[in-house]
mmCIF file of all heavy atoms in Angstrom:
data_model
loop_
_atom_site.group_PDB
_atom_site.id
_atom_site.type_symbol
_atom_site.label_atom_id
_atom_site.label_comp_id
_atom_site.label_asym_id
_atom_site.label_seq_id
_atom_site.Cartn_x
_atom_site.Cartn_y
_atom_site.Cartn_z
ATOM 1 N N ILE A 37 -11.849 -15.404 -0.177
ATOM 2 C CA ILE A 37 -12.632 -14.551 -1.065
ATOM 3 C C ILE A 37 -13.052 -15.407 -2.256
ATOM 4 O O ILE A 37 -12.210 -15.969 -2.948
ATOM 5 C CB ILE A 37 -11.820 -13.321 -1.529
ATOM 6 C CG1 ILE A 37 -11.395 -12.502 -0.306
ATOM 7 C CG2 ILE A 37 -12.629 -12.490 -2.518
ATOM 8 C CD1 ILE A 37 -10.442 -11.388 -0.616
ATOM 9 N N THR A 38 -14.365 -15.517 -2.472
ATOM 10 C CA THR A 38 -14.875 -16.374 -3.531
ATOM 11 C C THR A 38 -15.401 -15.599 -4.733
ATOM 12 O O THR A 38 -15.871 -16.194 -5.684
ATOM 13 C CB THR A 38 -16.006 -17.286 -2.997
ATOM 14 O OG1 THR A 38 -17.057 -16.464 -2.524
ATOM 15 C CG2 THR A 38 -15.502 -18.191 -1.901
ATOM 16 N N ALA A 39 -15.326 -14.285 -4.686
ATOM 17 C CA ALA A 39 -15.837 -13.463 -5.778
ATOM 18 C C ALA A 39 -14.910 -13.556 -6.987
ATOM 19 O O ALA A 39 -13.696 -13.693 -6.849
ATOM 20 C CB ALA A 39 -15.956 -12.008 -5.332
ATOM 21 N N GLU A 40 -15.494 -13.479 -8.162
ATOM 22 C CA GLU A 40 -14.698 -13.426 -9.376
ATOM 23 C C GLU A 40 -14.136 -12.020 -9.531
ATOM 24 O O GLU A 40 -14.786 -11.046 -9.193
ATOM 25 C CB GLU A 40 -15.560 -13.752 -10.595
ATOM 26 C CG GLU A 40 -15.986 -15.193 -10.662
ATOM 27 C CD GLU A 40 -16.773 -15.484 -11.927
ATOM 28 O OE1 GLU A 40 -16.545 -14.810 -12.951
ATOM 29 O OE2 GLU A 40 -17.612 -16.376 -11.872
ATOM 30 N N VAL A 41 -12.941 -11.925 -10.087
ATOM 31 C CA VAL A 41 -12.332 -10.627 -10.353
ATOM 32 C C VAL A 41 -13.017 -10.068 -11.602
ATOM 33 O O VAL A 41 -13.079 -10.742 -12.634
ATOM 34 C CB VAL A 41 -10.812 -10.772 -10.590
ATOM 35 C CG1 VAL A 41 -10.198 -9.444 -10.974
ATOM 36 C CG2 VAL A 41 -10.148 -11.353 -9.358
ATOM 37 N N PRO A 42 -13.554 -8.858 -11.511
ATOM 38 C CA PRO A 42 -14.242 -8.303 -12.680
ATOM 39 C C PRO A 42 -13.278 -8.050 -13.830
ATOM 40 O O PRO A 42 -12.085 -7.798 -13.622
ATOM 41 C CB PRO A 42 -14.830 -6.995 -12.159
ATOM 42 C CG PRO A 42 -14.062 -6.659 -10.944
ATOM 43 C CD PRO A 42 -13.549 -7.951 -10.376
ATOM 44 N N LYS A 43 -13.799 -8.138 -15.027
ATOM 45 C CA LYS A 43 -12.973 -7.934 -16.223
ATOM 46 C C LYS A 43 -12.498 -6.480 -16.313
ATOM 47 O O LYS A 43 -11.386 -6.215 -16.749
ATOM 48 C CB LYS A 43 -13.789 -8.306 -17.462
ATOM 49 C CG LYS A 43 -12.999 -8.311 -18.743
ATOM 50 C CD LYS A 43 -13.835 -8.859 -19.875
ATOM 51 C CE LYS A 43 -13.049 -8.894 -21.160
ATOM 52 N NZ LYS A 43 -13.859 -9.416 -22.272
ATOM 53 N N TYR A 44 -13.367 -5.548 -15.917
ATOM 54 C CA TYR A 44 -13.043 -4.121 -15.972
ATOM 55 C C TYR A 44 -13.328 -3.476 -14.627
ATOM 56 O O TYR A 44 -14.187 -3.934 -13.883
ATOM 57 C CB TYR A 44 -13.877 -3.413 -17.047
ATOM 58 C CG TYR A 44 -13.713 -4.009 -18.419
ATOM 59 C CD1 TYR A 44 -14.738 -4.738 -19.006
ATOM 60 C CD2 TYR A 44 -12.530 -3.864 -19.119
ATOM 61 C CE1 TYR A 44 -14.582 -5.298 -20.269
ATOM 62 C CE2 TYR A 44 -12.363 -4.424 -20.372
ATOM 63 C CZ TYR A 44 -13.397 -5.135 -20.939
ATOM 64 O OH TYR A 44 -13.235 -5.689 -22.185
ATOM 65 N N VAL A 45 -12.643 -2.383 -14.352
ATOM 66 C CA VAL A 45 -12.881 -1.617 -13.122
ATOM 67 C C VAL A 45 -14.237 -0.933 -13.206
ATOM 68 O O VAL A 45 -14.991 -0.895 -12.250
ATOM 69 C CB VAL A 45 -11.762 -0.566 -12.930
ATOM 70 C CG1 VAL A 45 -12.075 0.350 -11.755
ATOM 71 C CG2 VAL A 45 -10.426 -1.234 -12.747
ATOM 72 N N TYR A 46 -14.561 -0.420 -14.357
ATOM 73 C CA TYR A 46 -15.770 0.369 -14.580
ATOM 74 C C TYR A 46 -16.802 -0.484 -15.317
ATOM 75 O O TYR A 46 -16.530 -0.996 -16.399
ATOM 76 C CB TYR A 46 -15.385 1.608 -15.386
ATOM 77 C CG TYR A 46 -16.498 2.518 -15.783
ATOM 78 C CD1 TYR A 46 -17.294 3.122 -14.821
ATOM 79 C CD2 TYR A 46 -16.751 2.789 -17.110
ATOM 80 C CE1 TYR A 46 -18.315 3.973 -15.186
ATOM 81 C CE2 TYR A 46 -17.767 3.641 -17.487
ATOM 82 C CZ TYR A 46 -18.551 4.227 -16.524
ATOM 83 O OH TYR A 46 -19.564 5.073 -16.878
ATOM 84 N N ARG A 47 -17.987 -0.673 -14.743
ATOM 85 C CA ARG A 47 -19.008 -1.526 -15.363
ATOM 86 C C ARG A 47 -19.498 -1.007 -16.705
ATOM 87 O O ARG A 47 -19.973 -1.761 -17.547
ATOM 88 C CB ARG A 47 -20.196 -1.698 -14.418
ATOM 89 C CG ARG A 47 -19.873 -2.606 -13.265
ATOM 90 C CD ARG A 47 -21.077 -2.810 -12.389
ATOM 91 N NE ARG A 47 -21.420 -1.557 -11.723
ATOM 92 C CZ ARG A 47 -22.584 -1.284 -11.187
ATOM 93 N NH1 ARG A 47 -23.544 -2.156 -11.221
ATOM 94 N NH2 ARG A 47 -22.804 -0.142 -10.600
ATOM 95 N N GLY A 48 -19.364 0.294 -16.931
ATOM 96 C CA GLY A 48 -19.762 0.866 -18.217
ATOM 97 C C GLY A 48 -18.971 0.282 -19.375
ATOM 98 O O GLY A 48 -19.417 0.291 -20.525
ATOM 99 N N TRP A 49 -17.797 -0.245 -19.059
ATOM 100 C CA TRP A 49 -16.978 -0.852 -20.114
ATOM 101 C C TRP A 49 -17.608 -2.108 -20.669
ATOM 102 O O TRP A 49 -17.388 -2.474 -21.825
ATOM 103 C CB TRP A 49 -15.568 -1.140 -19.617
ATOM 104 C CG TRP A 49 -14.685 0.007 -19.958
ATOM 105 C CD1 TRP A 49 -14.220 0.964 -19.116
ATOM 106 C CD2 TRP A 49 -14.228 0.363 -21.257
ATOM 107 N NE1 TRP A 49 -13.507 1.892 -19.808
ATOM 108 C CE2 TRP A 49 -13.489 1.546 -21.134
ATOM 109 C CE3 TRP A 49 -14.386 -0.186 -22.522
ATOM 110 C CZ2 TRP A 49 -12.900 2.179 -22.214
ATOM 111 C CZ3 TRP A 49 -13.793 0.447 -23.595
ATOM 112 C CH2 TRP A 49 -13.053 1.617 -23.433
ATOM 113 N N LEU A 50 -18.404 -2.808 -19.887
ATOM 114 C CA LEU A 50 -19.107 -3.980 -20.417
ATOM 115 C C LEU A 50 -20.069 -3.553 -21.520
ATOM 116 O O LEU A 50 -20.192 -4.216 -22.551
ATOM 117 C CB LEU A 50 -19.856 -4.701 -19.296
ATOM 118 C CG LEU A 50 -18.975 -5.320 -18.215
ATOM 119 C CD1 LEU A 50 -19.836 -5.841 -17.063
ATOM 120 C CD2 LEU A 50 -18.114 -6.427 -18.789
ATOM 121 N N LYS A 51 -20.737 -2.412 -21.309
ATOM 122 C CA LYS A 51 -21.652 -1.879 -22.322
ATOM 123 C C LYS A 51 -20.880 -1.419 -23.552
ATOM 124 O O LYS A 51 -21.295 -1.663 -24.683
ATOM 125 C CB LYS A 51 -22.462 -0.720 -21.752
ATOM 126 C CG LYS A 51 -23.392 -1.116 -20.635
ATOM 127 C CD LYS A 51 -24.087 0.098 -20.053
ATOM 128 C CE LYS A 51 -24.934 -0.280 -18.860
ATOM 129 N NZ LYS A 51 -25.558 0.886 -18.247
ATOM 130 N N LEU A 52 -19.757 -0.734 -23.323
ATOM 131 C CA LEU A 52 -18.954 -0.256 -24.442
ATOM 132 C C LEU A 52 -18.396 -1.419 -25.250
ATOM 133 O O LEU A 52 -18.429 -1.424 -26.476
ATOM 134 C CB LEU A 52 -17.816 0.638 -23.940
ATOM 135 C CG LEU A 52 -16.927 1.211 -25.038
ATOM 136 C CD1 LEU A 52 -17.730 2.091 -25.981
ATOM 137 C CD2 LEU A 52 -15.787 2.000 -24.425
ATOM 138 N N GLU A 53 -17.896 -2.428 -24.549
ATOM 139 C CA GLU A 53 -17.358 -3.612 -25.222
ATOM 140 C C GLU A 53 -18.436 -4.274 -26.082
ATOM 141 O O GLU A 53 -18.195 -4.623 -27.242
ATOM 142 C CB GLU A 53 -16.843 -4.608 -24.190
ATOM 143 C CG GLU A 53 -16.309 -5.882 -24.801
ATOM 144 C CD GLU A 53 -15.862 -6.868 -23.739
ATOM 145 O OE1 GLU A 53 -16.640 -7.128 -22.799
ATOM 146 O OE2 GLU A 53 -14.744 -7.380 -23.867
ATOM 147 N N ALA A 54 -19.643 -4.422 -25.536
ATOM 148 C CA ALA A 54 -20.744 -5.038 -26.282
ATOM 149 C C ALA A 54 -21.102 -4.212 -27.518
ATOM 150 O O ALA A 54 -21.316 -4.774 -28.602
ATOM 151 C CB ALA A 54 -21.958 -5.205 -25.372
ATOM 152 N N ALA A 55 -21.138 -2.888 -27.374
ATOM 153 C CA ALA A 55 -21.476 -2.022 -28.508
ATOM 154 C C ALA A 55 -20.402 -2.090 -29.590
ATOM 155 O O ALA A 55 -20.715 -2.185 -30.782
ATOM 156 C CB ALA A 55 -21.651 -0.579 -28.026
ATOM 157 N N ILE A 56 -19.133 -2.055 -29.189
ATOM 158 C CA ILE A 56 -18.038 -2.115 -30.160
ATOM 159 C C ILE A 56 -18.097 -3.436 -30.929
ATOM 160 O O ILE A 56 -17.930 -3.464 -32.149
ATOM 161 C CB ILE A 56 -16.676 -1.932 -29.451
ATOM 162 C CG1 ILE A 56 -16.524 -0.471 -29.016
ATOM 163 C CG2 ILE A 56 -15.524 -2.352 -30.352
ATOM 164 C CD1 ILE A 56 -15.322 -0.208 -28.130
ATOM 165 N N GLU A 57 -18.374 -4.530 -30.224
ATOM 166 C CA GLU A 57 -18.446 -5.832 -30.882
ATOM 167 C C GLU A 57 -19.691 -5.957 -31.752
ATOM 168 O O GLU A 57 -19.614 -6.419 -32.888
ATOM 169 C CB GLU A 57 -18.392 -6.950 -29.843
ATOM 170 C CG GLU A 57 -17.028 -7.052 -29.196
ATOM 171 C CD GLU A 57 -16.964 -8.051 -28.055
ATOM 172 O OE1 GLU A 57 -17.979 -8.725 -27.772
ATOM 173 O OE2 GLU A 57 -15.897 -8.145 -27.437
ATOM 174 N N LYS A 58 -20.855 -5.534 -31.242
ATOM 175 C CA LYS A 58 -22.100 -5.660 -31.999
ATOM 176 C C LYS A 58 -22.086 -4.794 -33.254
ATOM 177 O O LYS A 58 -22.564 -5.199 -34.311
ATOM 178 C CB LYS A 58 -23.292 -5.283 -31.123
ATOM 179 C CG LYS A 58 -24.619 -5.474 -31.820
ATOM 180 C CD LYS A 58 -25.778 -5.234 -30.894
ATOM 181 C CE LYS A 58 -27.087 -5.530 -31.643
ATOM 182 N NZ LYS A 58 -28.226 -5.487 -30.750
ATOM 183 N N LEU A 59 -21.559 -3.582 -33.138
ATOM 184 C CA LEU A 59 -21.519 -2.661 -34.276
ATOM 185 C C LEU A 59 -20.292 -2.871 -35.157
ATOM 186 O O LEU A 59 -20.113 -2.184 -36.153
ATOM 187 C CB LEU A 59 -21.568 -1.213 -33.772
ATOM 188 C CG LEU A 59 -22.824 -0.853 -32.984
ATOM 189 C CD1 LEU A 59 -22.688 0.534 -32.374
ATOM 190 C CD2 LEU A 59 -24.064 -0.950 -33.864
ATOM 191 N N ASP A 60 -19.427 -3.816 -34.752
ATOM 192 C CA ASP A 60 -18.211 -4.148 -35.509
ATOM 193 C C ASP A 60 -17.350 -2.909 -35.765
ATOM 194 O O ASP A 60 -16.940 -2.630 -36.882
ATOM 195 C CB ASP A 60 -18.570 -4.840 -36.817
ATOM 196 C CG ASP A 60 -17.364 -5.546 -37.431
ATOM 197 O OD1 ASP A 60 -16.477 -5.965 -36.664
ATOM 198 O OD2 ASP A 60 -17.313 -5.662 -38.677
ATOM 199 N N VAL A 61 -17.116 -2.144 -34.696
ATOM 200 C CA VAL A 61 -16.304 -0.933 -34.784
ATOM 201 C C VAL A 61 -14.836 -1.314 -34.638
ATOM 202 O O VAL A 61 -14.459 -2.018 -33.700
ATOM 203 C CB VAL A 61 -16.691 0.079 -33.679
ATOM 204 C CG1 VAL A 61 -15.781 1.285 -33.700
ATOM 205 C CG2 VAL A 61 -18.140 0.482 -33.821
ATOM 206 N N ASP A 62 -14.009 -0.872 -35.579
ATOM 207 C CA ASP A 62 -12.572 -1.150 -35.528
ATOM 208 C C ASP A 62 -11.899 -0.020 -34.758
ATOM 209 O O ASP A 62 -11.840 1.114 -35.229
ATOM 210 C CB ASP A 62 -11.994 -1.246 -36.934
ATOM 211 C CG ASP A 62 -10.503 -1.527 -36.937
ATOM 212 O OD1 ASP A 62 -9.935 -1.844 -35.864
ATOM 213 O OD2 ASP A 62 -9.894 -1.424 -38.014
ATOM 214 N N VAL A 63 -11.404 -0.305 -33.564
ATOM 215 C CA VAL A 63 -10.765 0.722 -32.740
ATOM 216 C C VAL A 63 -9.236 0.649 -32.816
ATOM 217 O O VAL A 63 -8.553 1.420 -32.155
ATOM 218 C CB VAL A 63 -11.230 0.629 -31.264
ATOM 219 C CG1 VAL A 63 -12.705 0.942 -31.149
ATOM 220 C CG2 VAL A 63 -10.918 -0.726 -30.679
ATOM 221 N N SER A 64 -8.729 -0.261 -33.624
ATOM 222 C CA SER A 64 -7.274 -0.353 -33.753
ATOM 223 C C SER A 64 -6.741 0.885 -34.468
ATOM 224 O O SER A 64 -7.408 1.471 -35.330
ATOM 225 C CB SER A 64 -6.877 -1.625 -34.505
ATOM 226 O OG SER A 64 -7.379 -1.584 -35.823
ATOM 227 N N GLU A 65 -5.561 1.299 -34.064
ATOM 228 C CA GLU A 65 -4.881 2.451 -34.666
ATOM 229 C C GLU A 65 -5.673 3.751 -34.520
ATOM 230 O O GLU A 65 -5.530 4.664 -35.310
ATOM 231 C CB GLU A 65 -4.580 2.179 -36.136
ATOM 232 C CG GLU A 65 -3.937 0.843 -36.360
ATOM 233 C CD GLU A 65 -2.510 0.896 -36.847
ATOM 234 O OE1 GLU A 65 -2.045 1.985 -37.206
ATOM 235 O OE2 GLU A 65 -1.882 -0.161 -36.847
ATOM 236 N N LYS A 66 -6.521 3.834 -33.499
ATOM 237 C CA LYS A 66 -7.294 5.049 -33.246
ATOM 238 C C LYS A 66 -6.707 5.793 -32.058
ATOM 239 O O LYS A 66 -6.083 5.210 -31.187
ATOM 240 C CB LYS A 66 -8.757 4.710 -32.928
ATOM 241 C CG LYS A 66 -9.469 3.920 -33.996
ATOM 242 C CD LYS A 66 -9.699 4.749 -35.231
ATOM 243 C CE LYS A 66 -10.615 4.050 -36.203
ATOM 244 N NZ LYS A 66 -9.992 3.419 -37.331
#
Side-chain angles (χ1 to χ4, degrees):
I37 300 172
T38 61
E40 290 183 29
V41 175
K43 188 173 181 180
Y44 303 109
V45 173
Y46 177 60
R47 287 183 293 161
W49 266 104
L50 295 172
K51 295 176 185 177
L52 181 61
E53 178 182 50
I56 288 171
E57 290 174 3
K58 184 174 183 172
L59 299 172
D60 196 29
V61 176
D62 180 10
V63 295
S64 63
E65 312 247 350
K66 303 291 190 258

